[in-house]
Amino acid sequence: MNFEHTDDRRMLADTLVRALRDGYPIETRNAGAYGEAGYDPAVWQQLTELGIVSALFDEAAGGFGGSGFDIMVVFEALGRALVVEPFLGALMAGRALAAGGGHDETLARIVSGETIAAFAHDDGATPLIATKSGDGWTLSGTKAVVSQAGAASVFVVTVEQDGDPLVLLVPADTAGVSVRSFNVVEGGAAGDVTFENVALSADARVGGEGQGQAIVDAAVGAGLLALSAEAVGAMEFVKEATLGYLRDRKQFGVPIGKFQALQHRMATVLLEIEQAHSAVINAASAFDGDDAKARERALAAAKYTIGRTGALVAEETIQLHGGIGMTWEYAVSHYAKRLVMIDHQLGDEDYHLQRYIALG
Amino acid sequence: MDLSFTPEEEAFREEVRAFFRDKLPARLSTLVREGKRLRKSDMEEWHAILNERGWLANHWPEQWGGPGWSVIQRFIFDNESALAHAPRVVPFGVNMLGPVLIKYGSEEQKKQWLPRILDGSDWWCQGYSEPGAGSDLAGLKTTAVRKGDVYVVNGQKTWTTLGQHADMIFCLVRTDPTAKKQEGISFLLIDMKSPGIEVRPITLIDGEQEVNEVFFTDVEVPVANLVGEENMGWTYAKYLLTYERTNIAGVGFSIASFERLKEVAQMQKKGGRALADDPLFAARMARVEIDLANMQTTNLRVLAAVAGGGAPGAESSMLKIKGTEIRQEITSLTRRAYGSYAAPYIPEALEAGWNGEDVGPEDAAMAAPSYFNNRKLSIFGGSNEIQKNIISKAILGL
C-alpha cells in the first residue's frame, strides 16, 4: 500500500500547478472563460506545449502517461486553477480513438494539442439518428451542450443504436454540421451540435462491429474520473480560501473562525472533501484494473460522491464567506459555480447512484 | 499510488484468517453475528484464546508481550476480526491502561499489572466521566487526599462500562484543588474490592446494564498505585484518549454489519419483491456503502501517513466522526429493514444462551435495541462535537 505518487507524476503535477499559479490568475481565467470563445487559445497552446494532454495517454497512443492516476493528478491541478480550456474533450475524444484504433493521425494531433476535439455524447431534443447509406451513414439530429464544441475542429460522436452504439469521427467542417455556441454558467463554453443530413463514409467509424460500447465506456470512464478529480482540485482551493477567510474576517471583535457554529460547519466540509478525495483515489485505482464491473462501480461511486459533496462544499463556501462569497469579483464564487455545475455533466448524483445500484 | 496490500501483508492476512477459522469458537462468532449480548465468561474465553497466540495486546511493544505489528498489520487484524464476527477485545486494560503504564508507569507497576491484563487476572474499568464532568472531563471533582502511605478517595464516577465485572478501576482524581483544573489531576489504580466502593448499575435505553455509577467514600488507595507523578494525570489521560486509534473508524465492523444488512434486505419483502430491490431502500443502502468504501481509503491514507512517520493526531477525529456516522446509519437501516417486526421487545432474546422461539424473522429482536444502543458511538470517546472542536483547532487552525 502506498499513497504517494511516483516521482514522474509528482513532477508533472508540480510543473502544471506552478504554470497555472504563475500564468493563470483568476482575471486571466475569467477573461477567457466569459469571453466569446469561452477559453484562451494562448493558454491552451502554452499548456499543451508542456505536454499536459500527452500525460493523459499511454505510449501506444503517442503519450507518456495515461494511467488513472495520471488523469487524476492532471485534472486535480486543472480543477484547482478552474481551467476551462478544452482538456476534457481531448481526453474523451482521444480515449475513444485510442480504444477503437485507426484514425492514428487525428489521435496524434489531439495528443500533441494541435487539434482541439470534443466528445459529442448527450442527445438533444432531436436525438441523433444514423441511417445506413451505401457503405456509410447519413446523420441527422442534435447533440446537446457539448463541452467546448465551438473550439473543436473534430467531433467524436456517439449514436444510440439497437444493440451497440455507433461511434463516428466527424470533422467540424463537414457539410451539414453546425454548432450553436454559448457560454456556460460557471465560465467556459459549450454548444449544441446539429447534424443535417450529414453524409459520412465507412471510414468515419471508430472501431469495428460490436466495439461501440467498449469505446464509449473508455471515453466516458476517463471523463468521469477527470471530472471527479477536477472537482476535488476545486474543493481544495475553496477549502483553503474559506479557511483564510475564517481567520482574517473579524466580527464582534474576533475572527469569525472562533465561532463554533462556523467551526463545525467547516470541520464537516473538511471531512467530506477527504471522503471525496478517497473516492477519486478508489476510482483512479480501479480505472486501470482488470475488473470492468469494479471499474464502472468505482467511477459511479466517485461521480456520485463529488456530485453530492461538490454542492455541499459550494453552498458552505458561499455561506461561510457571507456576502463577499456572492460577488463576481471574488474567485470563490466561480469555483462554487463549477462545483455545482459539474454535477450536470456526464450524469448527476442520482444517475450515478442508480448506476452503482444496477451494477451491484 | 497503489491501494493493494504488499505480498507480505496479504500473507499476514491469510495467517490471521486461518487463525480465526481454526481458533474462534463457532458459538462465539454466532453470538456476535446475531448481535447478542456476551457474558463475562464469553469475553474472557476469547481473550484467553488471543493471548495464547500472543495477539491480545496487538499494539504493545514486544518486550511486554505484544506481537510487534505495524499499523497496517493492526488494521488488517482488526478488520479480519470484525469480518470473522470475533468478539471485540475489552479495551479498558489492553487498549487504554496498558499503553499508559508502558509509557508512564514505573518498572514495578509494569511488572505487576501488564501480565495480569494479558492473562485475565484483572478485569479493568475506566473511571473518567463524572456526573458534572462529561465533555468537560477536566472539570472532574472526585478528590484524593494523601494521608501517609495512602490516598483517601471521595467522589463519584459514572458511565463506567462493564464496571460490574471489574476487579480494578483506573481513575482520574483531583489531588490539587487549588491548581488550574487540568493541573491538579492524578491517575490512580484502585482495587474495586476496597471498602467504601459501591457500584450501582445504570439501565440504558435498550434495557441493557452496560454501564454503572461508581461511588467512593473514604476509599484508601496505596500511594504505590499512583501512575507517574502527582498532578500530571491530565497528560496521561490525553495520551490514553489519543493512543489506540487505528481502529477508531470501525471499518471492519461496518463492513460486517453491512453484509448482514444486505442479507436481511434480501430476505425481507416489500411490495412483493425483496426490500433490496426497492429503489428507495436500495438508494439508502448504496449511499452508505459508497461512504464506507470512501472511508476505508480515508482510513488507510491516515494510517499510511502514520506509518510514514506522520503524527496520528487529529486525523483520528475525522475517522471517529465519519466512522461512527456510517456505523449508526447501518444500524438504522437494519432496524428499518425489519419493518413492524423491529417493534416486539423480547429482552431474553437479546441475551447469549437464549433459545426460545423468535417473534418474526430471526434476529429481528436485536435490530431496534442495537440501533438505540449504538447512539452511544457519537457520544463516547469524545463526542463528535468535541471531535469537531479538535479538528477546528488542530487541523484547520481556527
Side-chain angles (χ1 to χ4, degrees), chain B residues 105-176:
Chain B
S106 66
E107 282 305 299
E108 292 71 27
Q109 286 171 335
K110 289 179 205 180
K111 284 184 186 141
Q112 182 179 359
W113 301 112
L114 294 176
R116 295 173 62 85
I117 291 174
L118 293 180
D119 70 15
S121 302
D122 295 325
W123 182 297
W124 285 89
C125 64
Q126 180 183 27
Y128 268 34
S129 294
E130 297 183 3
S135 287
D136 182 16
L137 182 60
L140 59 92
K141 291 192 167 64
T142 296
T143 56
V145 178
R146 175 133 186 201
K147 285 193 178 149
D149 292 340
V150 297
Y151 287 101
V152 179
V153 177
N154 281 284
Q156 182 194 346
K157 295 292 175 181
T158 192
W159 311 127
T160 312
T161 303
L162 302 180
Q164 70 270 34
H165 302 323
D167 305 297
M168 297 289 297
I169 183 168
F170 55 88
C171 269
L172 294 180
V173 293
R174 188 159 300 287
T175 36
D176 183 354

Side-chain angles (χ1 to χ4, degrees), chain A residues 290-312:
Chain A
D290 301 325
D291 185 340
K293 194 170 111 174
R295 166 191 138 113
E296 293 305 314
R297 258 196 137 202
L299 289 165
K303 188 64 169 54
Y304 156 79
T305 301
I306 68 101
R308 191 174 60 97
T309 307
L312 171 86

Side-chain angles (χ1 to χ4, degrees), chain A residues 1-6 9 69 72 243 246-247 257-258 260 263-264 266-268 270-272 274-275 277-279 281-282 285 297 301 304-305 308 350 353 356-357, chain B residues 1-6 9 72 279 282-283 286-287 289-295 297-298 300-301 304 318-319 321-322 325-326 385 388-389 391-392 395-398:
Chain A
M1 183 152 331
N2 175 12
F3 290 94
E4 306 275 315
H5 286 300
T6 59
R9 208 173 283 135
F69 290 115
M72 178 177 145
L243 277 174
L246 291 174
R247 290 189 196 110
K258 292 291 172 204
Q260 195 178 46
Q263 290 178 347
H264 284 199
M266 194 62 207
T268 301
L270 174 81
L271 281 179
E272 296 299 339
E274 290 305 329
Q275 286 283 87
H277 198 157
S278 292
I281 292 172
N282 288 346
S285 173
R297 258 196 137 202
Y304 156 79
T305 301
R308 191 174 60 97
D350 290 347
L353 190 65
Y356 179 87
I357 293 166
Chain B
M1 186 98 60
D2 180 5
L3 299 199
S4 48
F5 289 117
T6 63
E9 286 161 349
I72 301 292
R287 284 197 185 97
E289 188 180 25
I290 291 170
D291 231 6
L292 176 55
N294 296 344
M295 177 79 240
T297 295
T298 304
L300 287 168
R301 285 166 57 210
M318 304 196 327
L319 300 179
I321 295 170
K322 201 69 208 176
E325 284 175 355
I326 290 169
E385 287 67 33
K388 287 184 183 176
N389 290 350
I391 290 170
S392 302
I395 302 180
L396 301 178
L398 296 177

Side-chain angles (χ1 to χ4, degrees), chain A residues 20-30:
Chain A
L20 291 167
R21 194 188 51 214
D22 299 342
Y24 200 73
I26 192 74
E27 298 76 18
T28 305
R29 183 264 177 194
N30 283 353

Side-chain angles (χ1 to χ4, degrees), chain B residues 87-104:
Chain B
R88 293 168 206 199
V89 168
V90 182
F92 309 107
V94 173
N95 293 342
M96 296 181 175
L97 179 63
V100 169
L101 287 180
I102 289 165
K103 186 162 171 78
Y104 298 108

